[in-house]
Amino acid sequence: MEALRDVDPAQIGAHALLARLGAGGMGQVYLARSPGGRLVAVKVIRDEITGHPEALARFRREAETVRAVRSAYTANLIDASLAGAPYWLATEYVAGPTLGHAVAARDGLPADTCRRLFAALAEGLASVHAYGVTHRDLKPQNVILGAQGPQLIDFGIARGVGETALTQDGQAPGTPGYSAPEVLLGAEAGAAADVFALGATLAYAATGRPPFGTGVATTVSYRSVHEPVDVVGVEPGLAGLIEACVAKDPAVRPGLREVIERCGVRDALIDDPVYLGLGALGEAVPVHEMRTQGPGLAHGYTPTQAGAGAGAAVAVTPGRGRTRRTGVWVAVGVAALVGVVAVWKVPLGGQGGQGGEGDRAGGREQGRSPAAQTPAAGEAGPGASASKSPAGPPTYIRQTEPNLDDYNPIHRTCARTGAEDGMLDFQTSLPRTMDDPQLRSGKVRIAFRVKNALPDAPPYYVAVVVKPQHEVDENGRSTAVTDNRQLGFVAKAQDLYEGDEVEWKSVTYPDDFSMQLNGKTVKAPPLSQDPGGWTVVFRHAVSDTEHTTLVCDGFDSGPQKG
């Protein structure tokens, strides 16, 4: 939660805005006060994407789903404006941390607490299913640990019986590591898919580790389809229930009633001392609204505890040069306002990472991918730069080893990617195919951000590298060498946490890119010089010579006119 900014309106509809709760690629979420004094969470779509039909359809579907489902495990819809811009919806506000944040702070929960949480979430899903709705994106970030029990949030891709699916750039619905195998293979996401996601979510809660390891989305999805869930160290009975829920065959997964029975719960979740303690990881609620009129007035508020069981909530100090958040999106409906972007996992702020071969053969130790265990030659090993926080951004990173990152435009995959361990959502945005107007224009905007930030994280510099298919000479002309091992054209590194870190940071190719080659600065050539697949690499830069791959991606420029 953070103070309102000058650009924020004083109110949305009849609701007076109090604070910012979170943001995403599609919009902003505010804490607000209704005319009668009730706290509500207001989700607003960004003006620049209000003309996107799929975004609006997804938003309207969420509003209608929340309106239809009346459950103790979901927040009621209070108000909405869906007829014209600005589009927004207001739901009940639920104070508390997300399950993802709470578990990350503890490295896993005790078995008894997990059983109680398992049963409560199963009951919540059953109540949603009773309305003919499947959630389709259950995960730790979409569970709020409220004072009276968990709340299911983000029904943006939920579907009722007989509804038509909304696509997302050809991707399966849900989140890698929590999407069921049948969904990843193209089948519809039914009630059994929610059971799979429930099991995966509880595997994370019990271990503190991603249920199918870390890495790029395709690697994690492969493990979800072909490999067992990570339940190393989990109490056997609980591990058995988790494994039953994440069975590859949806027909053999237990029903939600059976899940509840197997949990054997005999007392209330809110009487669990561990669950009660998790409320202390929530955030403060402002007692008074931050302003009474439009933009430009001073902000400030006095924090108080965020409801029963919230404990010593963390207050936000407005006006700091570097705004930090705990990564807790505490309002219902906050979590997944994200457009068509890629989501990756990166280490916690300030930690160095290890590049490495992408995990294709499977196999994990303690939930870590082989790439996280064995660094590639010439790259930093696990934790090698964990204590290093550069005093300032490297000017332009330089090549010290052959760059083997290589994007395949046909399969839309990289032949080699980094696989850094961590729990922060690193999001990237770039055009994909020659049909994109950006690629046709020859100007490519490449953006990145961290979705869930940490408080007071040290600098974490990210440099974007763009590499054509062919190597270039000192004059920037393409050569006949197609096995391009040059570093590529580089944009100046930016601090991932600078300013408001959840807002996108971007660079434009070719304007912001150049290459140091044999002591010369070579300007980036136009896309038309080398039509086809271009590799885009996001590198964590500790210095101009110490940098490791975070994410490898790319685009297809197609045939271009000079």
Side-chain angles (χ1 to χ4, degrees):
M1 189 184 303
E2 66 173 44
L4 294 174
R5 303 177 190 172
D6 290 342
V7 297
D8 293 323
Q11 66 181 50
I12 296 291
H15 308 288
L17 301 189
L18 305 179
R20 284 182 163 220
L21 291 173
M26 283 181 60
Q28 177 70 45
V29 182
Y30 298 98
L31 177 66
R33 178 178 53 76
S34 72
R38 186 175 190 175
L39 289 178
V40 296
V42 180
K43 182 185 295 188
V44 187
I45 281 192
R46 295 187 192 278
D47 290 340
E48 58 266 30
I49 63 170
T50 55
H52 194 296
E54 183 177 307
L56 288 179
R58 198 177 301 277
F59 192 70
R60 289 189 175 113
R61 167 176 286 177
E62 178 174 12
E64 292 307 315
T65 301
V66 175
R67 189 194 306 274
V69 176
R70 313 290 289 184
S71 167
Y73 296 93
T74 61
N76 290 328
L77 184 71
I78 303 297
D79 196 3
S81 176
L82 306 175
Y87 300 92
W88 56 270
L89 63 86
T91 63
E92 292 177 300
Y93 170 77
V94 180
T98 65
L99 176 61
H101 175 71
V103 172
R106 291 182 52 97
D107 293 328
L109 304 178
D112 286 346
T113 302
C114 285
R115 284 191 177 86
R116 295 184 180 102
L117 185 60
F118 217 148
L121 289 175
E123 187 174 57
L125 278 178
S127 69
V128 171
H129 291 177
Y131 286 89
V133 172
T134 51
H135 190 285
R136 302 174 85 227
D137 197 21
L138 178 64
K139 57 185 176 181
Q141 292 77 16
N142 283 348
V143 175
I144 297 293
L145 303 181
Q148 299 304 314
Q151 295 274 308
L152 303 174
I153 67 171
D154 190 15
F155 286 83
I157 62 173
R159 285 185 58 196
V161 176
E163 287 187 317
T164 303
L166 294 174
T167 62
Q168 186 174 352
D169 195 27
Q171 300 176 9
T175 301
Y178 300 92
S179 293
E182 66 271 19
V183 177
L184 295 170
L185 296 175
E188 288 296 321
D194 277 353
V195 173
F196 181 96
L198 175 63
T201 296
L202 264 295
Y204 170 75
T207 65
R209 302 184 297 269
F212 293 96
T214 60
V216 298
T218 52
T219 299
V220 175
S221 295
Y222 177 88
R223 296 193 196 111
S224 299
V225 175
H226 298 287
E227 297 183 16
V229 68
D230 175 15
V231 287
V232 175
V234 178
E235 186 271 326
L238 178 60
L241 180 54
I242 291 172
E243 290 170 330
C245 289
V246 298
K248 307 305 181 187
D249 183 356
V252 302
R253 293 174 202 149
L256 293 169
R257 179 172 295 183
E258 180 183 343
V259 170
I260 296 171
E261 292 175 352
R262 290 179 62 173
C263 287
V265 172
R266 295 292 180 267
D267 47 14
L269 175 63
I270 60 172
D271 292 332
D272 185 292
V274 174
Y275 184 86
L276 287 175
L278 298 177
L281 300 171
E283 289 191 292
V285 176
V287 174
H288 305 294
E289 62 185 85
M290 293 184 182
R291 60 183 175 203
T292 57
Q293 298 181 24
L297 299 183
H299 307 319
Y301 65 85
T302 302
T304 187
Q305 286 190 354
V314 180
V316 174
T317 303
R320 296 177 58 186
R322 262 168 98 87
T323 301
R324 302 290 181 214
R325 276 177 293 283
T326 63
V328 186
W329 287 9
V330 295
V332 169
V334 130
L337 283 171
V338 183
V340 181
V341 297
V343 183
W344 320 83
K345 298 295 183 185
V346 300
L348 304 182
Q351 292 183 349
Q354 63 281 5
E357 296 294 334
D359 178 14
R360 285 168 177 75
R364 297 185 311 284
E365 179 181 323
Q366 296 292 323
R368 296 166 61 97
S369 68
Q373 300 163 23
T374 308
E379 294 194 343
S385 57
S387 62
K388 296 183 180 180
S389 294
T395 49
Y396 286 90
I397 62 174
R398 296 187 288 117
Q399 182 155 4
T400 57
E401 297 287 340
N403 181 6
L404 304 181
D405 295 310
D406 185 30
Y407 178 72
N408 185 322
I410 298 176
H411 300 291
R412 298 189 183 182
T413 58
C414 273
R416 178 177 174 275
T417 68
E420 296 203 18
D421 253 357
M423 288 310 301
L424 293 183
D425 288 336
F426 180 68
Q427 297 181 312
T428 62
S429 174
L430 65 156
R432 296 289 181 185
T433 66
M434 64 189 75
D435 296 329
D436 191 285
Q438 285 192 69
L439 294 175
R440 292 201 300 269
S441 73
K443 299 280 189 179
V444 180
R445 180 178 179 272
I446 302 168
F448 62 91
R449 71 169 186 172
V450 61
K451 176 179 171 183
N452 295 329
L454 289 177
D456 301 314
Y460 192 98
Y461 295 108
V462 176
V464 180
V465 178
V466 174
K467 187 177 76 169
Q469 298 178 98
H470 297 79
E471 291 190 357
V472 299
D473 60 22
E474 294 178 4
N475 297 310
R477 293 190 295 261
S478 298
T479 69
V481 179
T482 56
D483 183 20
N484 186 357
R485 298 196 173 195
Q486 292 176 331
L487 175 62
F489 296 93
V490 181
K492 186 175 181 179
Q494 300 182 61
D495 182 3
L496 188 63
Y497 299 121
E498 181 63 33
D500 183 358
E501 63 276 8
V502 300
E503 291 187 353
W504 294 94
K505 295 169 177 62
S506 66
V507 291
T508 300
Y509 184 91
D511 300 357
D512 300 325
F513 289 78
S514 63
M515 177 193 297
Q516 297 297 316
L517 187 60
N518 299 329
K520 291 184 60 177
T521 299
V522 181
K523 292 184 178 180
L527 297 179
S528 56
Q529 177 172 296
D530 198 356
W534 289 64
T535 302
V536 178
V537 182
F538 298 83
R539 287 211 160 201
H540 173 208
V542 174
S543 69
D544 60 342
T545 58
E546 186 178 356
H547 42 84
T548 54
T549 294
L550 279 173
V551 171
C552 177
D553 207 338
F555 57 81
D556 183 2
S557 66
Q560 300 268 332
K561 295 181 180 180

